[in-house]
Coordinates of all heavy atoms in Angstrom, one line a residue:
M1 N -17.6 -17.5 24.6 CA -16.9 -16.4 24.1 C -15.8 -16.8 23.0 O -15.0 -17.7 23.4 CB -16.2 -15.6 25.2 CG -15.9 -14.2 24.8 SD -15.2 -13.2 26.2 CE -15.6 -13.9 27.7
R2 N -15.9 -16.3 21.8 CA -14.9 -16.7 20.8 C -13.9 -15.6 20.7 O -14.1 -14.5 20.9 CB -15.6 -16.8 19.4 CG -16.6 -18.0 19.4 CD -17.2 -18.1 18.1 NE -17.1 -16.9 17.3 CZ -17.8 -16.7 16.2 NH1 -18.7 -17.5 15.8 NH2 -17.7 -15.6 15.5
L3 N -12.7 -16.1 20.3 CA -11.6 -15.1 20.1 C -11.3 -15.1 18.6 O -11.5 -16.0 17.9 CB -10.3 -15.6 20.9 CG -10.5 -15.7 22.4 CD1 -9.3 -16.3 23.1 CD2 -10.9 -14.4 23.0
T4 N -10.7 -14.0 18.2 CA -10.3 -13.8 16.8 C -8.9 -14.1 16.6 O -8.0 -13.6 17.4 CB -10.6 -12.3 16.4 OG1 -11.9 -12.0 16.7 CG2 -10.3 -12.1 14.9
A5 N -8.6 -15.0 15.7 CA -7.2 -15.3 15.4 C -6.6 -14.5 14.2 O -7.3 -14.3 13.2 CB -7.1 -16.8 15.1
T6 N -5.4 -14.0 14.3 CA -4.8 -13.3 13.3 C -4.2 -14.3 12.3 O -4.1 -15.5 12.6 CB -3.6 -12.4 13.8 OG1 -2.6 -13.2 14.4 CG2 -4.2 -11.4 14.8
P7 N -3.7 -13.9 11.1 CA -3.1 -14.8 10.1 C -2.0 -15.6 10.7 O -1.7 -16.7 10.3 CB -2.7 -13.9 9.0 CG -3.6 -12.7 9.1 CD -3.9 -12.5 10.5
N8 N -1.2 -15.0 11.6 CA -0.1 -15.7 12.2 C -0.4 -16.6 13.4 O 0.4 -17.2 14.0 CB 1.0 -14.7 12.6 CG 0.7 -13.8 13.7 OD1 -0.4 -14.0 14.3 ND2 1.5 -12.9 14.1
G9 N -1.7 -16.7 13.7 CA -2.2 -17.6 14.8 C -2.4 -16.9 16.1 O -2.8 -17.5 17.1
A10 N -2.0 -15.6 16.2 CA -2.1 -14.9 17.5 C -3.6 -14.7 17.8 O -4.4 -14.5 16.9 CB -1.4 -13.6 17.5
V11 N -4.0 -14.7 19.0 CA -5.4 -14.5 19.4 C -5.6 -13.0 19.9 O -4.8 -12.5 20.7 CB -5.8 -15.4 20.5 CG1 -7.2 -15.2 21.0 CG2 -5.7 -16.9 20.0
E12 N -6.6 -12.3 19.3 CA -6.8 -10.9 19.6 C -8.2 -10.6 19.9 O -9.0 -10.3 19.1 CB -6.4 -10.1 18.4 CG -4.9 -10.1 18.1 CD -4.5 -9.1 17.1 OE1 -5.4 -8.6 16.4 OE2 -3.3 -8.9 16.9
G13 N -8.6 -10.8 21.2 CA -9.9 -10.4 21.6 C -11.1 -11.2 21.2 O -11.0 -12.2 20.5
V14 N -12.3 -10.7 21.6 CA -13.5 -11.4 21.3 C -14.1 -11.0 19.9 O -14.1 -9.9 19.6 CB -14.6 -11.0 22.4 CG1 -15.9 -11.7 22.2 CG2 -14.0 -11.4 23.8
A15 N -14.5 -12.0 19.2 CA -15.1 -11.7 17.9 C -16.3 -10.8 18.1 O -17.1 -10.9 19.0 CB -15.6 -13.0 17.2
A16 N -16.5 -9.9 17.1 CA -17.6 -8.9 17.2 C -18.9 -9.6 17.3 O -19.8 -9.2 18.1 CB -17.6 -8.0 16.0
S17 N -19.1 -10.7 16.6 CA -20.4 -11.4 16.6 C -20.7 -12.0 18.0 O -21.9 -12.3 18.3 CB -20.4 -12.5 15.6 OG -19.4 -13.4 15.8
A18 N -19.7 -12.2 18.8 CA -19.9 -12.8 20.1 C -20.2 -11.8 21.2 O -20.5 -12.1 22.4 CB -18.7 -13.6 20.5
L19 N -20.1 -10.5 20.9 CA -20.3 -9.4 21.9 C -21.8 -9.2 22.1 O -22.6 -9.2 21.2 CB -19.6 -8.2 21.5 CG -18.1 -8.2 21.4 CD1 -17.6 -6.9 20.7 CD2 -17.5 -8.4 22.7
S20 N -22.1 -8.8 23.3 CA -23.5 -8.4 23.6 C -23.7 -7.0 22.9 O -22.7 -6.3 22.6 CB -23.8 -8.3 25.1 OG -23.0 -7.2 25.6
A21 N -24.9 -6.6 22.7 CA -25.1 -5.3 22.1 C -24.5 -4.2 22.9 O -23.9 -3.2 22.4 CB -26.6 -5.0 21.9
E22 N -24.6 -4.3 24.2 CA -24.0 -3.3 25.1 C -22.5 -3.2 25.0 O -21.9 -2.2 24.9 CB -24.5 -3.6 26.6 CG -23.9 -2.6 27.6 CD -24.4 -2.9 29.0 OE1 -25.5 -3.5 29.2 OE2 -23.6 -2.6 29.9
R23 N -21.9 -4.4 25.0 CA -20.4 -4.5 24.9 C -20.0 -4.0 23.5 O -18.9 -3.4 23.4 CB -20.0 -5.9 25.2 CG -18.5 -6.0 25.3 CD -18.0 -5.3 26.5 NE -16.6 -5.3 26.5 CZ -15.8 -4.7 27.4 NH1 -16.4 -4.0 28.4 NH2 -14.5 -4.7 27.3
L24 N -20.7 -4.4 22.5 CA -20.4 -3.9 21.1 C -20.3 -2.4 21.0 O -19.4 -1.8 20.5 CB -21.4 -4.5 20.1 CG -21.2 -4.1 18.7 CD1 -19.9 -4.5 18.1 CD2 -22.4 -4.6 17.8
L25 N -21.3 -1.8 21.6 CA -21.4 -0.3 21.5 C -20.2 0.3 22.4 O -19.6 1.3 22.0 CB -22.7 0.2 22.1 CG -23.0 1.6 21.8 CD1 -22.9 2.0 20.4 CD2 -24.4 2.0 22.3
H26 N -20.0 -0.3 23.5 CA -18.8 0.1 24.3 C -17.5 0.0 23.6 O -16.7 1.0 23.6 CB -18.8 -0.7 25.6 CG -17.6 -0.3 26.5 ND1 -17.5 0.8 27.3 CD2 -16.4 -1.0 26.7 CE1 -16.4 0.8 27.9 NE2 -15.7 -0.3 27.5
E27 N -17.3 -1.1 23.0 CA -16.0 -1.3 22.2 C -15.9 -0.3 21.1 O -14.8 0.3 20.8 CB -16.0 -2.7 21.6 CG -15.8 -3.8 22.7 CD -14.5 -3.8 23.4 OE1 -13.5 -3.5 22.8 OE2 -14.5 -4.0 24.6
L28 N -17.0 0.0 20.4 CA -17.0 1.0 19.3 C -16.7 2.4 19.9 O -15.9 3.1 19.3 CB -18.3 1.0 18.6 CG -18.5 0.0 17.5 CD1 -20.0 -0.1 17.1 CD2 -17.6 0.3 16.3
E29 N -17.3 2.7 21.0 CA -17.0 4.0 21.6 C -15.5 4.1 22.0 O -14.9 5.2 21.7 CB -17.8 4.2 22.8 CG -19.3 4.4 22.5 CD -20.2 4.4 23.7 OE1 -19.7 4.1 24.8 OE2 -21.4 4.7 23.6
Q30 N -14.9 3.1 22.5 CA -13.5 3.1 22.9 C -12.6 3.3 21.6 O -11.7 4.1 21.6 CB -13.1 1.8 23.5 CG -13.7 1.6 24.9 CD -13.1 2.5 25.9 OE1 -13.6 3.6 26.2 NE2 -11.9 2.2 26.4
L31 N -12.9 2.5 20.6 CA -12.1 2.7 19.4 C -12.2 4.0 18.7 O -11.2 4.6 18.3 CB -12.5 1.6 18.3 CG -12.0 0.2 18.6 CD1 -12.7 -0.8 17.8 CD2 -10.5 0.1 18.4
H32 N -13.4 4.6 18.7 CA -13.6 5.9 18.1 C -12.9 7.0 19.0 O -12.3 7.9 18.4 CB -15.1 6.3 18.0 CG -15.7 5.5 16.9 ND1 -17.1 5.1 16.9 CD2 -15.3 5.0 15.7 CE1 -17.4 4.4 15.8 NE2 -16.3 4.3 15.1
R33 N -12.9 6.8 20.3 CA -12.2 7.7 21.1 C -10.7 7.7 21.0 O -10.0 8.7 21.1 CB -12.6 7.4 22.6 CG -12.1 8.5 23.6 CD -12.6 8.4 25.0 NE -12.9 7.1 25.5 CZ -14.1 6.5 25.6 NH1 -15.1 7.2 25.2 NH2 -14.3 5.3 26.1
T34 N -10.1 6.5 20.7 CA -8.7 6.4 20.6 C -8.2 6.5 19.1 O -6.9 6.4 18.9 CB -8.2 5.0 21.1 OG1 -8.9 4.0 20.4 CG2 -8.6 4.9 22.6
R35 N -9.0 6.7 18.1 CA -8.6 6.7 16.7 C -7.6 7.7 16.4 O -6.5 7.4 15.8 CB -9.8 6.8 15.8 CG -9.5 6.8 14.4 CD -8.9 5.5 14.0 NE -8.5 5.5 12.6 CZ -8.0 4.5 12.0 NH1 -7.8 3.3 12.6 NH2 -7.7 4.5 10.7
H36 N -7.8 9.0 16.8 CA -6.9 10.0 16.5 C -5.5 9.8 17.0 O -4.5 9.9 16.3 CB -7.4 11.4 17.0 CG -6.7 12.6 16.5 ND1 -6.7 13.0 15.2 CD2 -5.8 13.4 17.2 CE1 -5.9 14.0 15.1 NE2 -5.4 14.3 16.3
E37 N -5.4 9.4 18.3 CA -4.1 9.2 18.9 C -3.4 8.0 18.2 O -2.2 8.0 18.0 CB -4.3 8.9 20.4 CG -2.9 8.8 21.1 CD -3.1 8.7 22.6 OE1 -4.0 9.4 23.1 OE2 -2.4 7.9 23.2
T38 N -4.1 6.9 17.9 CA -3.5 5.8 17.2 C -3.0 6.2 15.8 O -1.9 5.8 15.4 CB -4.5 4.6 17.1 OG1 -5.0 4.3 18.4 CG2 -3.9 3.4 16.4
F39 N -3.8 7.0 15.1 CA -3.4 7.5 13.8 C -2.2 8.3 13.8 O -1.3 8.1 13.0 CB -4.6 8.3 13.2 CG -4.3 8.9 11.8 CD1 -4.3 8.0 10.7 CD2 -3.9 10.2 11.7 CE1 -3.9 8.5 9.5 CE2 -3.6 10.7 10.4 CZ -3.6 9.8 9.3
L40 N -2.1 9.2 14.8 CA -0.9 10.1 14.9 C 0.3 9.4 15.4 O 1.4 9.6 15.0 CB -1.2 11.3 15.7 CG -2.2 12.3 15.2 CD1 -2.5 13.4 16.2 CD2 -1.7 12.9 13.8
Y41 N 0.2 8.5 16.5 CA 1.3 8.1 17.2 C 1.5 6.5 17.2 O 2.5 6.1 17.7 CB 1.2 8.6 18.7 CG 1.0 10.1 18.7 CD1 -0.2 10.6 19.2 CD2 2.0 10.9 18.3 CE1 -0.4 12.0 19.3 CE2 1.8 12.3 18.3 CZ 0.6 12.8 18.9 OH 0.4 14.2 18.9
G42 N 0.5 5.8 16.7 CA 0.6 4.3 16.7 C 1.6 3.8 15.7 O 1.8 4.4 14.6
S43 N 2.1 2.6 15.9 CA 2.9 2.0 14.9 C 2.1 1.6 13.7 O 0.8 1.6 13.8 CB 3.6 0.7 15.5 OG 2.5 -0.3 15.8
D44 N 2.7 1.2 12.6 CA 1.9 0.8 11.4 C 1.0 -0.4 11.8 O -0.1 -0.5 11.4 CB 2.9 0.4 10.3 CG 3.5 1.6 9.7 OD1 3.1 2.8 9.9 OD2 4.5 1.4 9.0
D45 N 1.6 -1.4 12.6 CA 0.8 -2.5 13.0 C -0.4 -2.1 13.9 O -1.5 -2.7 13.7 CB 1.6 -3.5 13.7 CG 2.6 -4.3 12.8 OD1 2.3 -4.3 11.6 OD2 3.5 -4.9 13.3
A46 N -0.2 -1.2 14.8 CA -1.3 -0.7 15.7 C -2.4 -0.1 14.9 O -3.5 -0.3 15.1 CB -0.7 0.2 16.7
L47 N -2.0 0.8 13.9 CA -2.9 1.5 13.1 C -3.7 0.5 12.2 O -4.9 0.6 12.1 CB -2.3 2.5 12.2 CG -3.2 3.3 11.3 CD1 -4.3 4.1 12.1 CD2 -2.4 4.3 10.5
R48 N -3.0 -0.5 11.6 CA -3.7 -1.5 10.8 C -4.7 -2.3 11.7 O -5.8 -2.5 11.3 CB -2.6 -2.4 10.2 CG -3.3 -3.6 9.4 CD -2.2 -4.7 9.0 NE -1.5 -5.2 10.1 CZ -1.9 -6.0 11.1 NH1 -3.1 -6.4 11.0 NH2 -1.1 -6.4 12.1
R49 N -4.3 -2.7 12.8 CA -5.2 -3.5 13.7 C -6.3 -2.7 14.2 O -7.5 -3.2 14.3 CB -4.4 -4.1 14.9 CG -5.2 -4.9 15.8 CD -5.7 -6.2 15.0 NE -6.7 -6.8 15.9 CZ -7.9 -7.3 15.5 NH1 -8.3 -7.1 14.2 NH2 -8.7 -7.8 16.3
H50 N -6.1 -1.4 14.5 CA -7.2 -0.5 14.9 C -8.2 -0.4 13.8 O -9.4 -0.5 14.1 CB -6.5 0.8 15.3 CG -7.4 1.7 16.1 ND1 -8.4 2.4 15.6 CD2 -7.4 1.9 17.5 CE1 -9.0 3.1 16.6 NE2 -8.4 2.8 17.8
T51 N -7.7 -0.2 12.6 CA -8.6 -0.1 11.4 C -9.4 -1.4 11.2 O -10.6 -1.3 11.0 CB -7.8 0.3 10.2 OG1 -7.1 1.5 10.4 CG2 -8.7 0.4 9.0
E52 N -8.7 -2.5 11.3 CA -9.4 -3.8 11.1 C -10.5 -4.0 12.2 O -11.6 -4.4 11.9 CB -8.4 -4.9 11.2 CG -7.5 -5.0 10.0 CD -6.4 -6.0 10.2 OE1 -6.2 -6.6 11.3 OE2 -5.6 -6.2 9.2
R53 N -10.2 -3.7 13.4 CA -11.1 -3.9 14.5 C -12.3 -3.0 14.4 O -13.4 -3.4 14.6 CB -10.4 -3.8 15.9 CG -11.3 -4.1 17.1 CD -11.7 -5.5 17.1 NE -12.4 -5.8 18.4 CZ -13.1 -6.9 18.7 NH1 -13.2 -7.8 17.8 NH2 -13.6 -7.0 19.9
T54 N -12.0 -1.7 14.1 CA -13.1 -0.8 13.9 C -14.0 -1.2 12.8 O -15.3 -1.2 12.9 CB -12.5 0.6 13.6 OG1 -11.7 1.0 14.7 CG2 -13.6 1.6 13.4
T55 N -13.5 -1.7 11.7 CA -14.3 -2.1 10.6 C -15.1 -3.3 11.0 O -16.3 -3.4 10.6 CB -13.4 -2.5 9.4 OG1 -12.7 -1.3 9.0 CG2 -14.2 -3.0 8.2
E56 N -14.5 -4.3 11.7 CA -15.2 -5.5 12.2 C -16.4 -5.1 13.1 O -17.5 -5.6 12.9 CB -14.2 -6.4 12.9 CG -14.9 -7.6 13.5 CD -14.0 -8.4 14.4 OE1 -12.9 -7.9 14.8 OE2 -14.4 -9.5 14.8
L57 N -16.2 -4.2 14.0 CA -17.2 -3.8 15.0 C -18.3 -3.0 14.3 O -19.5 -3.2 14.6 CB -16.6 -3.1 16.2 CG -15.7 -3.9 17.1 CD1 -15.1 -3.0 18.1 CD2 -16.4 -5.1 17.7
E58 N -17.9 -2.1 13.4 CA -18.9 -1.3 12.7 C -19.8 -2.2 11.8 O -21.0 -2.0 11.8 CB -18.3 -0.2 11.9 CG -17.7 0.9 12.8 CD -17.0 2.0 12.0 OE1 -16.7 1.8 10.8 OE2 -16.8 3.1 12.6
A59 N -19.2 -3.1 11.1 CA -20.0 -4.0 10.3 C -20.9 -4.8 11.1 O -22.1 -5.1 10.7 CB -19.0 -5.0 9.5
E60 N -20.5 -5.3 12.3 CA -21.4 -6.1 13.1 C -22.5 -5.2 13.7 O -23.7 -5.6 13.7 CB -20.6 -6.7 14.3 CG -21.4 -7.5 15.3 CD -22.1 -8.7 14.7 OE1 -21.7 -9.2 13.6 OE2 -23.1 -9.2 15.3
Y61 N -22.2 -4.0 14.0 CA -23.3 -3.1 14.5 C -24.3 -2.9 13.4 O -25.5 -2.9 13.6 CB -22.7 -1.7 14.9 CG -23.7 -0.8 15.5 CD1 -24.0 -0.8 16.8 CD2 -24.4 0.1 14.6 CE1 -25.0 0.0 17.3 CE2 -25.4 0.9 15.1 CZ -25.7 0.9 16.5 OH -26.7 1.7 17.0
L62 N -23.9 -2.6 12.2 CA -24.8 -2.4 11.1 C -25.6 -3.6 10.7 O -26.7 -3.5 10.3 CB -24.0 -1.8 9.8 CG -23.4 -0.4 10.0 CD1 -22.6 -0.1 8.8 CD2 -24.5 0.6 10.2
R63 N -25.0 -4.8 10.9 CA -25.7 -6.0 10.6 C -26.8 -6.2 11.6 O -27.9 -6.5 11.3 CB -24.7 -7.2 10.7 CG -25.4 -8.6 10.4 CD -24.5 -9.8 10.7 NE -24.3 -10.0 12.1 CZ -25.3 -10.5 12.9 NH1 -26.5 -10.8 12.5 NH2 -25.0 -10.7 14.2
R64 N -26.5 -5.9 12.9 CA -27.6 -6.0 13.9 C -28.6 -4.9 13.9 O -29.8 -5.1 14.2 CB -26.9 -6.0 15.3 CG -26.1 -7.2 15.6 CD -25.6 -7.1 17.0 NE -24.5 -8.0 17.3 CZ -23.9 -8.2 18.5 NH1 -24.4 -7.5 19.5 NH2 -22.9 -9.0 18.6
F65 N -28.2 -3.7 13.5 CA -29.1 -2.6 13.6 C -29.0 -1.9 12.2 O -28.5 -0.8 12.1 CB -28.6 -1.6 14.7 CG -28.5 -2.2 16.0 CD1 -27.2 -2.6 16.5 CD2 -29.6 -2.6 16.8 CE1 -27.1 -3.2 17.7 CE2 -29.4 -3.2 18.0 CZ -28.2 -3.5 18.5
P66 N -29.6 -2.5 11.2 CA -29.6 -1.9 9.8 C -30.3 -0.6 9.7 O -30.0 0.3 8.9 CB -30.2 -3.0 8.9 CG -31.0 -3.8 9.8 CD -30.4 -3.7 11.2
V67 N -31.3 -0.4 10.6 CA -32.1 0.9 10.5 C -31.6 1.7 11.7 O -31.9 1.5 12.8 CB -33.6 0.6 10.6 CG1 -34.3 2.0 10.6 CG2 -34.0 -0.3 9.5
R68 N -30.7 2.7 11.4 CA -30.2 3.6 12.4 C -30.9 4.9 12.5 O -31.4 5.3 11.5 CB -28.7 3.8 12.2 CG -27.8 2.6 12.2 CD -26.4 2.9 11.8 NE -26.3 3.5 10.5 CZ -25.8 4.7 10.2 NH1 -25.3 5.5 11.1 NH2 -25.8 5.1 8.9
M69 N -30.9 5.5 13.6 CA -31.5 6.8 13.8 C -30.5 7.8 13.1 O -29.3 7.8 13.5 CB -31.7 7.2 15.2 CG -32.3 8.6 15.4 SD -32.6 9.0 17.1 CE -30.9 9.2 17.7
V70 N -31.0 8.6 12.2 CA -30.1 9.6 11.5 C -30.6 10.9 11.9 O -31.7 11.3 11.7 CB -30.2 9.4 10.0 CG1 -29.3 10.4 9.3 CG2 -29.7 8.0 9.6
T71 N -29.7 11.7 12.5 CA -30.0 13.1 12.9 C -29.9 14.0 11.6 O -29.0 13.9 10.9 CB -29.0 13.6 13.9 OG1 -29.0 12.6 15.0 CG2 -29.3 14.9 14.4
A72 N -30.9 14.8 11.4 CA -31.0 15.6 10.2 C -29.7 16.5 10.1 O -29.3 16.7 8.9 CB -32.2 16.5 10.3
S73 N -29.2 17.0 11.2 CA -28.0 17.8 11.1 C -26.7 17.1 10.6 O -25.7 17.7 10.2 CB -27.7 18.5 12.4 OG -27.4 17.5 13.4
R74 N -26.8 15.7 10.6 CA -25.7 14.9 10.1 C -25.8 14.5 8.7 O -25.0 13.6 8.2 CB -25.5 13.6 11.0 CG -25.3 13.9 12.5 CD -24.1 14.7 12.8 NE -22.9 13.9 12.4 CZ -21.7 14.3 12.4 NH1 -21.4 15.5 12.8 NH2 -20.7 13.5 12.0
T75 N -26.7 15.1 7.9 CA -26.9 14.8 6.5 C -26.3 16.0 5.7 O -25.9 17.0 6.3 CB -28.4 14.7 6.1 OG1 -29.0 15.9 6.4 CG2 -29.1 13.6 6.9
R76 N -26.1 15.8 4.4 CA -25.6 16.9 3.6 C -26.4 18.1 3.7 O -25.9 19.2 3.8 CB -25.4 16.4 2.1 CG -24.3 15.5 1.9 CD -24.2 15.1 0.5 NE -23.1 14.2 0.3 CZ -22.4 14.0 -0.7 NH1 -22.6 14.7 -1.8 NH2 -21.4 13.2 -0.8
S77 N -27.8 17.9 3.6 CA -28.6 19.1 3.6 C -28.5 19.8 5.0 O -28.6 21.0 5.1 CB -30.1 18.7 3.3 OG -30.6 17.8 4.2
G78 N -28.4 19.0 6.0 CA -28.2 19.6 7.4 C -26.9 20.4 7.5 O -26.9 21.4 8.1
A79 N -25.9 19.8 6.9 CA -24.6 20.5 6.9 C -24.7 21.8 6.1 O -24.1 22.8 6.6 CB -23.5 19.6 6.3
R80 N -25.3 21.8 5.0 CA -25.5 23.0 4.2 C -26.3 24.0 5.0 O -26.0 25.2 4.9 CB -26.2 22.7 2.9 CG -25.3 22.0 1.9 CD -26.0 21.8 0.6 NE -25.2 20.8 -0.2 CZ -25.6 19.6 -0.6 NH1 -26.9 19.3 -0.3 NH2 -24.9 18.8 -1.3
A81 N -27.3 23.6 5.7 CA -28.1 24.5 6.5 C -27.3 25.2 7.6 O -27.4 26.4 7.8 CB -29.3 23.8 7.1
R82 N -26.4 24.4 8.2 CA -25.5 25.0 9.2 C -24.6 26.0 8.6 O -24.3 27.0 9.2 CB -24.7 23.8 9.9 CG -25.4 23.1 11.0 CD -24.4 22.3 11.8 NE -23.4 21.5 11.1 CZ -23.6 20.3 10.5 NH1 -24.7 19.7 10.7 NH2 -22.6 19.7 9.9
E83 N -24.0 25.7 7.5 CA -23.1 26.6 6.8 C -23.8 27.9 6.4 O -23.3 29.0 6.6 CB -22.5 25.9 5.5 CG -21.5 24.8 5.8 CD -21.2 24.1 4.6 OE1 -21.6 24.4 3.5 OE2 -20.4 23.1 4.7
T84 N -25.0 27.8 5.9 CA -25.8 29.0 5.6 C -26.1 29.8 6.8 O -25.9 31.0 6.8 CB -27.1 28.6 4.9 OG1 -26.8 27.8 3.7 CG2 -27.9 29.8 4.5
A85 N -26.5 29.2 7.9 CA -26.8 29.9 9.1 C -25.6 30.6 9.6 O -25.6 31.7 10.1 CB -27.4 28.9 10.1
A86 N -24.4 29.9 9.5 CA -23.1 30.5 10.0 C -22.8 31.7 9.2 O -22.3 32.7 9.7 CB -22.0 29.5 10.0
R87 N -23.0 31.6 7.9 CA -22.7 32.8 7.0 C -23.6 33.9 7.3 O -23.1 35.1 7.4 CB -22.8 32.4 5.5 CG -21.6 31.7 5.0 CD -21.6 31.7 3.4 NE -22.7 31.0 2.9 CZ -22.8 29.7 2.7 NH1 -21.8 28.9 3.0 NH2 -23.9 29.1 2.2
I88 N -24.8 33.7 7.5 CA -25.8 34.7 7.8 C -25.4 35.4 9.1 O -25.5 36.6 9.3 CB -27.3 34.2 7.8 CG1 -27.7 33.8 6.4 CG2 -28.2 35.2 8.5 CD1 -29.0 33.0 6.3
E89 N -25.1 34.6 10.1 CA -24.7 35.1 11.4 C -23.5 35.9 11.4 O -23.3 36.9 12.1 CB -24.5 33.9 12.4 CG -24.4 34.4 13.8 CD -24.3 33.2 14.8 OE1 -25.2 32.4 14.8 OE2 -23.3 33.1 15.5
A90 N -22.5 35.6 10.5 CA -21.2 36.3 10.4 C -21.3 37.5 9.5 O -20.4 38.4 9.6 CB -20.2 35.3 9.8
T91 N -22.4 37.7 8.8 CA -22.6 38.9 7.9 C -23.1 40.0 8.7 O -24.1 39.9 9.4 CB -23.6 38.5 6.8 OG1 -23.2 37.4 6.1 CG2 -23.7 39.7 5.8
P92 N -22.3 41.2 8.7 CA -22.8 42.3 9.4 C -24.1 42.9 8.9 O -24.3 42.8 7.7 CB -21.6 43.4 9.2 CG -20.6 42.7 8.4 CD -21.1 41.4 7.9
S93 N -24.9 43.4 9.7 CA -26.2 43.9 9.3 C -26.1 45.3 8.9 O -25.4 46.1 9.3 CB -27.2 43.9 10.5 OG -27.3 42.5 10.9

């Protein structure tokens, strides 16, 4: 297990490349779940580190799994279809 060293020599966790696929996904889920709170209430250093770690883990995930399942509703055309359906539903008959 490798640890990541910061520029000042401090050690901060396991390198993304050393994580199992299961652990990598778990770490990403944790970071995504805590992002909003860190953004609103974290110190500048906490927010910077959170961003760096998220970027590191996401890059590793994309390196390992370059072909991801994309849900049609998560594309621009899917979003437009949702907006159109919502407008139609909100329009009185």
